[in-house]
């Protein structure tokens, strides 16, 4: 069995070794994706992330079985409850991640205000309050209490966080004064990025990654972002991406997609390619709006998104498939079940960036006042019934409170999984051919 992508080494430390038993009947694991590519058979394990050239039998006695397929979990005993097995692995993974990361991850919203009025914004109608200096100072004290001197990871979100860079200055400055190491990422529309902002990102805020939201070609962008004051913002945001990339900051553009703006996407990609000169740190992914993902016609949109990858790469930009399979094990599916502290402008503590009032479990002044409510988000949950047999369970979440449930999630994930895996196979084949040529 030729291995093209090794299993995740951290996960292998958590997994009990599966021994080959000669008298046991083995069948393909529900997590084993078997497929053909260019006349050869391959299999990918969605839990371990191992990709191998191999042909799986439908059923086989252990005495006739290839040992590597059993030890690699591609074949499992026919009576094995793989969902229960996955849930136990997920619990172990979360315990490991919790002990490693507890009190080190914070998403801070300096404001609920924004200079745009995106038509799809889930914060529409939220009062646009802004963090005061008092709340910012208390936020620092809360972070210090939680992190206990360990390095922390900060995410700045909003609203539009760059409306109030002084809040970011104040919090990062005080962390630096207290000797706490930190790294930052920012989620922004990019319209307020200037050369001075980029300098702050590099020198003061320790920003390594920025996510920028755009919504297609210029007419679609204008219609969907609905800026209060539009001054050629479409091209200004692309220039901002260029500035950040040139400074060594990783920038990922999220393009929200729907039927009404899809026809303009080729022009949007051409505009990006022409405007951004420093493409080495720039990536892009398309994300269907939630009403598309949960609708009956979602699969057609996912197919379009998969097909447009070649146009992204043609412009010299890295494509980041939205539903790509994980090529390493991740214990947590989102910030809520990872235990991230989301800090709202008023200092309230929430499990995720939606900041729903009923999900509030404390504030930076009093700490976690409802530990049971917070634990309910962090703990592993019993898997939804419709998901128990899904091969992509390790790529998704058993987090039952999550509001996003794609209508054709398995079919969509299969499209992106096969695309990514076949590319890995082709890349390995090219490397092998080059090595043979060198000999």
């Amino acid at each position: 069995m030729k291995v093209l992508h090794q299993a995740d080494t951290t996960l292998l430390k958590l997994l009990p070794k599966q021994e080959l038993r000669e008298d046991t009947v083995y069948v393909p694991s529900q997590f084993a994706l078997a497929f053909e590519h260019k006349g050869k058979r391959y299999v990918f394990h969605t839990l371990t992330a191992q990709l191998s050239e191999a042909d799986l039998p439908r059923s086989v006695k252990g005495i006739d079985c290839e040992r590597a397929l059993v030890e690699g979990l591609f074949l499992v005993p026919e009576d094995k409850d793989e969902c229960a097995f996955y849930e136990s692995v997920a619990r172990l993974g979360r315990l490991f991640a919790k002990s490693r990361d507890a009190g080190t991850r914070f998403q801070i919203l300096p404001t609920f205000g924004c200079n745009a009025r995106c038509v799809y914004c889930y914060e529409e109608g939220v009062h646009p309050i802004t963090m005061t200096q008092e709340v910012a100072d208390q936020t620092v004290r809360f972070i210090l209490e939680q992190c206990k001197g360990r390095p922390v990871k900060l995410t700045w979100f909003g609203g539009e966080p760059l409306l109030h860079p002084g809040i970011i200055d104040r919090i990062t400055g005080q962390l630096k004064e207290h000797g706490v190491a930190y790294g930052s990422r920012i989620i922004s529309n990019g319209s307020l990025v200037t050369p001075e902002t980029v300098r702050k990102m590099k020198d003061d805020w320790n920003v390594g990654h920025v996510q920028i939201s755009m919504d297609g070609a210029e007419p679609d962008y204008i219609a969907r972002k609905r800026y209060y004051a539009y001054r050629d913002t479409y091209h200004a945001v692309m220039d901002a991406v260029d500035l950040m990339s040139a400074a060594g900051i990783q920038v990922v553009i999220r393009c929200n997609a729907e039927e009404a703006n899809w026809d303009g996407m080729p022009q949007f990609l051409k505009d990006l390619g022409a405007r951004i000169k420093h493409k080495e740190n720039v990536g892009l992914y398309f994300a269907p709006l939630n009403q598309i993902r949960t609708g009956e016609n979602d699969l057609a949109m996912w197919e379009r998104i998969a097909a447009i990858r070649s146009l992204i790469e043609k412009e010299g930009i890295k494509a980041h498939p939205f539903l790509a399979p994980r090529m390493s094990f991740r214990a947590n599916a989102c910030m809520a079940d990872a235990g991230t502290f989301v800090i709202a402008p008023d200092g309230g503590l929430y499990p995720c960036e939606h900041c729903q009032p009923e999900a509030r479990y404390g504030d930076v002044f009093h700490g976690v006042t409802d530990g049971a409510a917070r634990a309910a988000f962090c703990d592993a949950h019993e898997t939804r019934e419709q998901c128990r047999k899904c091969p992509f369970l390790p790529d998704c979440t058993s987090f039952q409170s999550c509001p996003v449930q794609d209508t054709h999630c398995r079919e969509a994930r299969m499209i992106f999984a096969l695309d990514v895996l076949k590319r890995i196979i082709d890349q390995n084949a090219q490397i092998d051919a080059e090595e043979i040529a060198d000999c």
Side-chain angles (χ1 to χ4, degrees):
M1 182 175 72
K2 181 180 179 181
V3 178
L4 288 85
H5 187 276
Q6 296 289 343
D8 183 272
T9 54
T10 300
L11 179 63
L12 293 180
K13 296 176 183 177
L14 300 176
L15 291 177
K17 187 174 181 180
Q18 181 171 260
E19 301 284 356
L20 175 64
R21 301 178 187 274
E22 293 186 352
D23 59 344
T24 297
V25 176
Y26 291 91
V27 295
S29 166
Q30 79 174 64
F31 304 127
L33 295 185
F35 61 98
E36 184 175 330
H37 182 53
K38 296 182 178 178
K40 295 182 179 180
R41 299 294 299 173
Y42 299 90
V43 61
F44 174 71
H45 201 288
T46 59
L47 176 59
T48 68
Q50 181 173 327
L51 172 63
S52 298
E53 182 182 332
D55 193 6
L56 291 185
R58 291 185 179 181
S59 177
V60 63
K61 287 286 291 287
I63 194 169
D64 301 317
C65 192
E66 184 178 346
R67 181 177 297 275
L69 291 176
V70 173
E71 293 181 347
L73 300 178
F74 293 109
L75 293 175
V76 298
E78 60 180 347
D79 60 350
K80 183 174 183 178
D81 185 341
E82 291 212 86
C83 184
F85 171 71
Y86 165 72
E87 288 173 342
S88 67
V89 172
R91 282 191 289 271
L92 283 172
R94 291 185 187 195
L95 285 172
F96 174 79
K98 185 177 180 180
S99 64
R100 180 193 62 197
D101 300 330
T104 64
R105 297 174 182 269
F106 305 86
Q107 181 168 110
I108 304 172
L109 286 65
T111 183
F112 279 140
C114 189
N115 59 335
R117 295 163 293 170
C118 299
V119 296
Y120 49 78
C121 183
Y122 59 78
E123 291 179 356
E124 186 176 2
V126 175
H127 185 61
I129 62 172
T130 294
M131 187 174 284
T132 64
Q133 292 185 359
E134 179 189 12
V135 173
D137 294 343
Q138 187 59 42
T139 294
V140 173
R141 288 191 283 272
F142 179 78
I143 292 173
L144 295 175
E145 290 170 359
Q146 297 298 323
C147 76
K148 298 178 174 58
R150 291 174 297 169
V152 298
K153 296 180 180 180
L154 309 174
T155 298
W156 304 97
F157 190 48
E160 173 49 57
L162 297 182
L163 274 174
H164 297 281
I167 296 297
I168 305 177
D169 285 337
R170 193 175 185 90
I171 293 174
T172 55
Q174 289 185 38
L175 289 176
K176 189 175 295 185
E177 289 174 6
H178 283 89
V180 175
Y182 60 89
S184 293
R185 64 188 294 265
I186 297 177
I187 301 171
S188 167
N189 60 40
S191 65
L192 301 176
V193 174
T194 65
E196 174 59 17
T197 308
V198 175
R199 186 201 65 76
K200 282 179 177 287
M201 288 180 180
K202 291 293 292 182
D203 298 343
D204 302 330
W205 302 345
N206 295 345
V207 173
H209 179 278
V210 177
Q211 178 181 297
I212 298 294
S213 60
M214 299 194 76
D215 295 308
E218 188 170 15
D220 296 313
Y221 178 82
I222 294 171
R224 282 159 179 75
K225 301 303 284 187
R226 298 193 302 166
Y227 285 99
Y228 284 96
Y230 183 84
R231 299 183 180 87
D232 196 20
T233 311
Y234 178 74
H235 295 102
V237 171
M238 294 182 184
D239 292 342
V241 171
D242 191 52
L243 278 173
M244 290 184 285
S245 177
I249 298 171
Q250 297 291 321
V251 184
V252 174
I253 300 168
R254 174 189 172 114
C255 184
N256 297 296
E258 58 178 324
E259 291 288 341
N261 69 348
W262 188 257
D263 288 345
M265 293 308 180
Q267 184 60 52
F268 168 59
L269 295 175
K270 288 181 181 178
D271 292 344
L272 285 174
R275 194 83 180 191
I276 300 173
K277 307 303 180 185
H278 300 87
K279 300 182 178 70
E280 58 272 17
N281 295 310
V282 181
L284 180 144
Y285 70 91
F286 288 96
L289 294 177
N290 280 346
Q291 61 263 36
I292 301 292
R293 296 178 63 178
T294 57
E296 289 300 321
N297 297 319
D298 63 320
L299 195 55
M301 179 58 71
W302 288 121
E303 290 171 342
R304 290 176 179 177
I305 289 173
I308 205 170
R309 177 170 181 162
S310 60
L311 292 184
I312 301 173
E313 295 173 338
K314 180 181 177 182
E315 298 301 335
I317 296 170
K318 291 184 286 291
H320 295 286
F322 190 45
L323 292 184
R326 296 179 186 171
M327 301 309 292
S328 61
F329 177 69
R330 196 176 81 188
N332 304 108
C334 69
M335 70 177 67
D337 70 347
T340 299
F341 291 103
V342 177
I343 304 174
D346 65 354
L349 298 176
Y350 296 87
C352 82
E353 60 202 16
H354 289 264
C355 295
Q356 296 169 324
E358 65 273 16
R360 181 170 173 142
Y361 59 78
D363 59 55
V364 293
F365 293 93
H366 304 96
V368 176
T369 56
D370 191 345
R374 181 167 188 257
F377 286 93
C378 299
D379 293 342
H381 292 263
E382 185 176 343
T383 305
R384 298 183 182 108
E385 187 60 35
Q386 67 267 32
C387 303
R388 294 188 65 82
K389 297 293 185 181
C390 181
F392 296 105
L393 189 56
D395 277 340
C396 194
T397 174
S398 57
F399 186 48
Q400 297 189 60
S401 298
C402 183
V404 179
Q405 296 187 44
D406 299 329
T407 302
H408 295 96
C409 52
R410 297 186 195 187
E411 297 91 337
R413 288 183 182 277
M414 184 64 78
I415 291 171
F416 290 95
L418 293 181
D419 178 59
V420 169
L421 297 173
K422 289 176 180 179
R423 285 171 178 264
I424 293 174
I425 293 168
D426 290 342
Q427 289 167 2
N428 275 272
Q430 182 177 351
I431 292 171
D432 290 344
E434 291 173 352
E435 289 179 350
I436 291 172
D438 290 339
C439 293

